[in-house]
Amino acid sequence: MSLTAPRDSAVPGSRGTPPPRTPGQRKRALGLDRGAWFLLMPALIPILILSVVPLLYGLSLAFTDSQAGRTSPTRFVGLDNFLDLRHDSLFWESFRIGLVWAVSVTALQFVLALGLALLLNQNLRFRWLARTLALVPWAMPEVVVGIMWRLVYHSDAGVLNKTLTQLGIIHENVDWLADLSYALPAVIVVGVWAGMPQTTVVLLAGLQNVPVELREAAQLDGAGMWRRFTAVTWPALKPVVIAITALNFIWNFNSFGLVYVLTQGGPGGQTRLPMLFAYEEAFKYGQFGYAAAMGLAMVAVIAILLTLFLRKKLREDVEAAA
């Protein structure tokens, strides 16, 4: 007959059963330690005051008739702003221009940044200098970039017109930022130039995480450069590509400062992105409630588009893994 106690009746504190926790231990296990919250307060308070509270206030404005300079109290109007927005052809035209801008800039940024990242990943002389110079556009403020490119595109004294004239490509100066045909493509070029470095850095970091042994093994098996890229490099780089593409699309769609300095939405609204349109409604015409509804509508549409994009990519990854 065994004299040992069964496992179910093990005493508290033995190896079979952990000792009961005190209320303080349970709070700490749940992350409710008062000392930790006290240490987080200096970081949480500015976030709440400068980010969360203005965000909630902006969301609340979308359901009111708030206007600048009115003496009567602001009223709650429910969904009236969104119903008016549904029939606003100017807003939906700016939304179309925003999608053209965001898709074009994001796609060109990715293609050019991928090529540059593959080049900078090679064992080249003065590679450190090339990597440093590639970050220069990223380090420049948007206002400075906009002013610099306005000088490049200047119709009379611009470098671009002088160069193209000397090469015989054009025979008279072109006002790139005031011409209805060239304004949006010219602004897209600036957006690509300004945002490409950050995409290059992210893709270069992803390339450096691709195992060298896999590329060497594929090369020994006789795989060419393109085959090594599609079979080894691209699958390892794909999660990084999805993340940076989604982020770039959000950043580009919400662009404001660069386009505002270049064209202020002109000529004839050809470069009036949604953020510029909302800015004009709020601070030029004083329609704060209507502008807030525009912002909320843009967030909802972009969230839906990104959700569909990410779901498609995840489904493709699951099918490829299966």
Side-chain angles (χ1 to χ4, degrees):
M1 180 178 180
S2 174
L3 297 178
T4 59
R7 292 184 178 181
D8 295 336
S9 60
V11 296
S14 64
R15 291 184 178 181
T17 305
R21 293 180 175 179
T22 64
Q25 290 174 332
R26 286 196 293 269
K27 287 184 179 181
R28 284 191 293 272
L30 294 173
L32 301 177
D33 190 2
R34 292 181 180 179
W37 282 111
F38 180 77
L39 294 174
L40 286 174
M41 281 303 170
L44 290 177
I45 291 176
I47 294 175
L48 290 173
I49 295 176
L50 301 177
S51 297
V52 177
V53 174
L55 176 63
L56 295 177
Y57 179 68
L59 292 177
S60 66
L61 283 180
F63 302 95
T64 66
D65 61 349
S66 177
Q67 297 179 8
R70 64 180 300 171
T71 57
S72 58
T74 299
R75 295 183 300 107
F76 177 79
V77 296
L79 299 177
D80 288 354
N81 288 328
F82 297 95
L83 295 177
D84 294 340
L85 190 63
R86 186 178 59 177
H87 303 290
D88 192 339
S89 59
L90 292 177
F91 170 74
W92 292 112
E93 176 63 17
S94 72
F95 197 89
R96 182 193 67 81
I97 295 172
L99 286 179
V100 172
W101 153 271
V103 172
S104 301
V105 174
T106 302
L108 291 173
Q109 277 180 354
F110 171 73
V111 173
L112 296 176
L114 180 60
L116 183 58
L118 289 171
L119 179 63
L120 295 178
N121 197 42
Q122 304 298 319
N123 189 17
L124 304 175
R125 293 184 62 185
F126 301 107
R127 183 174 60 177
W128 62 272
L129 179 60
R131 290 180 176 180
T132 304
L133 293 176
L135 293 175
V136 170
W138 192 16
M140 298 174 64
E142 284 188 336
V143 175
V144 176
V145 173
I147 294 174
M148 182 186 70
W149 277 92
R150 280 184 66 90
L151 296 175
V152 172
Y153 285 137
H154 196 276
S155 58
D156 297 325
V159 176
L160 181 59
N161 275 334
K162 287 189 175 182
T163 303
L164 294 179
T165 302
Q166 291 174 358
L167 294 175
I169 298 176
I170 61 175
H171 301 288
E172 59 181 8
N173 291 339
V174 178
D175 197 346
W176 299 96
L177 297 178
D179 192 290
L180 294 175
S181 302
Y182 297 116
L184 185 58
V187 173
I188 288 174
V189 170
V190 181
V192 173
W193 183 86
M196 192 175 69
Q198 63 187 8
T199 309
T200 302
V201 171
V202 174
L203 294 177
L204 181 59
L207 287 172
Q208 292 179 344
N209 288 326
V210 178
V212 180
E213 297 80 6
L214 294 179
R215 292 200 296 263
E216 292 177 349
Q219 187 174 6
L220 290 175
D221 290 339
M225 183 181 298
W226 176 251
R227 181 59 180 168
R228 292 198 302 271
F229 175 78
T230 57
V232 178
T233 305
W234 181 254
L237 198 62
K238 197 171 182 180
V240 178
V241 171
I242 294 175
I244 192 59
T245 302
L247 290 175
N248 279 344
F249 182 80
I250 296 173
W251 291 330
N252 291 327
F253 189 84
N254 293 325
S255 294
F256 173 79
L258 185 63
V259 181
Y260 184 80
V261 173
L262 285 170
T263 63
Q264 296 186 359
Q270 292 299 310
T271 60
R272 186 185 289 128
L273 304 182
M275 291 301 297
L276 281 171
F277 192 85
Y279 170 82
E280 291 179 352
E281 287 293 325
F283 299 104
K284 187 176 181 179
Y285 304 111
Q287 302 292 332
F288 296 130
Y290 192 53
M294 288 182 185
L296 187 57
M298 287 187 288
V299 169
V301 173
I302 295 303
I304 292 173
L305 292 177
L306 284 177
T307 301
L308 295 175
F309 170 75
L310 294 176
R311 285 184 60 184
K312 179 182 178 182
K313 292 299 181 182
L314 291 175
R315 189 182 302 114
E316 290 176 354
D317 291 343
V318 171
E319 293 175 354

